[in-house]
Amino acid sequence: MVDMRTFVRPIYAGNGMATVAVEPGQKLIMATVRPTAFARAEGARSGGEAPVEAVPEQVLAAAAAPDTPKTTWLGKHEAKAERPDLGSARVVVSGGRALKSAEGFQHLERLADLLGGAVGASRAAVDAGYVPNDLQVGQTGKVVAPQLYIAVGISGAIQHVAGMKDSKVIVAINSDPDAPIFQLADYGLVGDLFKILPELEAAVREIKAQ
């Protein structure tokens, strides 16, 4: 945000930034912000309180104007799941088409459960029918920025990278040493994911048992 009428937003899957200005005659301005675009507020984990500010009179007057569109709150529905929400999980384990089937994703589910994380997927895996589309990470899916992102069998297409490039630590597992995902990863492991995942799972179990 530059000022009250000028904003900067990402374009082209985050590869460019555009400055957008609102016309002076526009009364109401609405902007959306990605939940991963800013750091957690200080004190959020310890139950801190946010400041409460009164809404300016001119804003209330503009909202009450006859020509202002009105909305009605109908309700809130949340899908309950055993794992953390993909958009807010501290750990995300994502898989690509290299997992070959829905059964292949069971390896990721076990690893994610051990790490207390969520399961994600590339567009290719979703299009292949391995997992539902609400697990898709990318430009046409969900944008995530967990503390740890594990990409398994994901090549690193631009549209997928746009949804996870802000992750704090990225681990890539792929059989192709030239896969683009390794250029983004903090740690990379080249090999057969069906051999690596069971070994990784066993190692995590051993550490947790100590």
Side-chain angles (χ1 to χ4, degrees):
M1 181 174 176
V2 179
D3 54 43
M4 292 298 292
R5 291 187 174 275
T6 310
F7 308 89
V8 179
R9 63 183 299 271
I11 58 175
Y12 302 123
N15 291 309
M17 303 299 289
T19 301
V20 182
V22 180
E23 295 181 358
Q26 186 69 33
K27 294 182 179 179
L28 293 180
I29 302 172
M30 185 185 74
T32 58
V33 181
R34 291 177 178 177
T36 57
F38 50 88
R40 183 185 296 271
E42 185 177 350
R45 293 189 178 280
S46 58
E49 297 183 358
V52 178
E53 299 180 4
V55 178
E57 289 295 332
Q58 59 268 32
V59 175
L60 294 175
D67 59 343
T68 301
K70 302 298 188 294
T71 59
T72 302
W73 175 263
L74 298 180
K76 181 179 180 180
H77 174 73
E78 292 187 40
K80 294 185 177 180
E82 297 178 356
R83 299 186 183 90
D85 177 69
L86 179 59
S88 58
R90 290 176 56 81
V91 176
V92 174
V93 184
S94 285
R97 189 163 46 191
L99 285 161
K100 299 180 180 179
S101 66
E103 290 71 25
F105 265 81
Q106 293 178 2
H107 292 286
L108 299 191
E109 293 172 355
R110 289 194 294 269
L111 181 58
D113 290 341
L114 283 171
L115 297 173
V119 174
S122 67
R123 179 176 177 175
V126 171
D127 289 346
Y130 300 163
V131 291
N133 59 11
D134 59 339
L135 297 185
Q136 181 177 330
V137 174
Q139 185 178 8
T140 55
K142 293 185 177 179
V143 177
V144 301
Q147 295 296 317
L148 173 62
Y149 189 90
I150 303 177
V152 182
I154 294 176
S155 63
I158 292 177
Q159 79 87 24
H160 181 79
V161 169
M164 47 69 70
K165 65 180 181 180
D166 291 329
S167 302
K168 305 304 181 291
V169 177
I170 299 173
V171 177
I173 302 174
N174 202 294
S175 60
D176 180 6
D178 297 322
I181 190 67
F182 286 124
Q183 299 177 12
L184 184 68
D186 298 288
Y187 301 95
L189 188 57
V190 178
D192 184 348
L193 63 88
F194 291 106
K195 293 181 179 179
I196 293 173
L197 286 177
E199 295 175 357
L200 183 57
E201 180 184 340
V204 174
R205 289 185 184 277
E206 183 178 348
I207 293 173
K208 295 190 68 173
Q210 294 177 358

